[in-house]
Amino acid sequence: KNEVEQSPQNLTAQEGEFITINCSYSVGISALHWLQQHPGGGIVSLFMLSSGKKKHGRLIATINIQEKHSSLHITASHPRDSAVYICAVKGGSHYGGATNKLIFGTGTLLAVQP
Amino acid sequence: DAGVIQSPRHEVTEMGQEVTLRCKPISGHNSLFWYRQTMMRGLELLIYFNNNVPIDDSGMPEDRFSAKMPNASFSTLKIQPSEPRDSAVYFCASRTSGRSEQFFGPGTRLTVL
């Protein structure tokens, strides 16, 4: 079982829909990242969370440390949101001592159709 | 700011050849990460450096892989000899101490025939 699980693996939405991508992890963490990878391959960091909720434009990320779960929401989705969204966790100080390591989920491929 | 620079962007080589991938981190960043991305395994950390010193190379798949960071502005990832299963996109990322956000380079797409 992967230490970081994302769901769904693939998601197709119509323009304007509200989208939720989920990430669950099984290890202690100090931070959780949401990354976006566009079809051209470039990777962009969207959020870094250690608690609570963050918002940037139409994107909202939440994390529940007790439940070891995070969600990425996209409001009023647009075709340009089409990308792979990757959840990555940074291990806590008790995780193997390598606190700078990021452990990645397998990604969610989002396609927003006009 | 030019961001993280990687070269080459694409590399096609034959099995058994030596491959060298290059990375220039963002100026002032003191941590550098090498990742590999494949369809089967997604993104994986290969090695990371803090202040030019390798900290964790447990992700390096085998002795054919080696990485160096001779100074704060340059790092290489070398594969010798290369094999078809090394075909992947290799990303370099950097960050500054005290910040968790990593900035990724555009990646090098390696194809080993």
Side-chain angles (χ1 to χ4, degrees):
Chain A
K1 189 180 186 302
N2 292 335
E3 291 165 308
V4 181
E5 297 274 357
Q6 286 186 237
S7 63
Q9 291 189 352
N10 295 281
L11 180 58
T12 300
Q14 294 297 313
E15 183 173 356
E17 285 185 6
F18 180 83
I19 289 164
T20 296
I21 300 171
N22 296 298
C23 175
S24 296
Y25 52 92
S26 58
V27 297
I29 69 167
S30 59
L32 182 143
H33 297 252
W34 281 102
L35 308 171
Q36 180 191 55
Q37 185 170 28
H38 274 284
I43 297 176
V44 174
S45 176
L46 297 176
F47 294 105
M48 192 280 291
L49 293 164
S50 54
S51 65
K53 174 180 169 179
K54 286 190 176 179
K55 184 176 188 293
H56 184 254
R58 295 180 294 104
L59 302 178
I60 303 167
T62 63
I63 187 168
N64 185 316
I65 297 294
Q66 287 72 30
E67 295 185 3
K68 295 187 174 179
H69 180 268
S70 174
S71 293
L72 176 68
H73 305 285
I74 305 175
T75 61
S77 60
H78 189 276
R80 64 175 175 265
D81 298 326
S82 299
V84 176
Y85 292 84
I86 303 169
C87 170
V89 300
K90 180 181 171 186
S93 58
H94 57 278
Y95 180 72
T99 58
N100 281 312
K101 285 184 83 163
L102 284 181
I103 307 165
F104 295 89
T106 52
T108 295
L109 176 60
L110 170 66
V112 181
Q113 297 177 341
Chain B
D1 192 341
V4 176
I5 298 172
Q6 289 187 247
S7 64
R9 294 292 307 276
H10 301 272
E11 175 84 24
V12 180
T13 191
E14 292 185 333
M15 182 174 66
Q17 296 297 308
E18 176 179 298
V19 175
T20 299
L21 311 181
R22 296 173 176 80
C23 175
K24 177 178 167 54
I26 292 173
S27 177
H29 285 192
N30 63 341
S31 293
L32 183 141
F33 304 79
W34 281 103
Y35 296 96
R36 178 172 68 176
Q37 185 179 37
T38 61
M39 288 293 292
M40 291 294 294
R41 299 171 68 92
L43 269 165
E44 303 172 280
L45 176 68
L46 299 176
I47 185 171
Y48 79 91
F49 296 83
N50 263 0
N51 297 317
N52 313 339
V53 177
I55 301 300
D56 183 353
D57 64 355
S58 59
M60 297 284 262
E62 48 196 273
D63 291 346
R64 298 184 297 105
F65 285 68
S66 63
K68 294 182 180 179
M69 192 163 187
N71 56 62
S73 60
F74 184 66
S75 177
T76 59
L77 178 68
K78 187 176 292 188
I79 309 172
Q80 165 65 8
S82 58
E83 297 182 3
R85 60 194 168 114
D86 303 329
S87 298
V89 180
Y90 291 81
F91 287 98
C92 175
S94 70
R95 71 175 185 92
T96 189
S97 59
R99 300 285 303 270
S100 284
E101 184 179 14
Q102 296 182 19
F103 294 82
F104 285 77
T108 295
R109 182 174 295 278
L110 173 65
T111 303
V112 183
L113 302 175

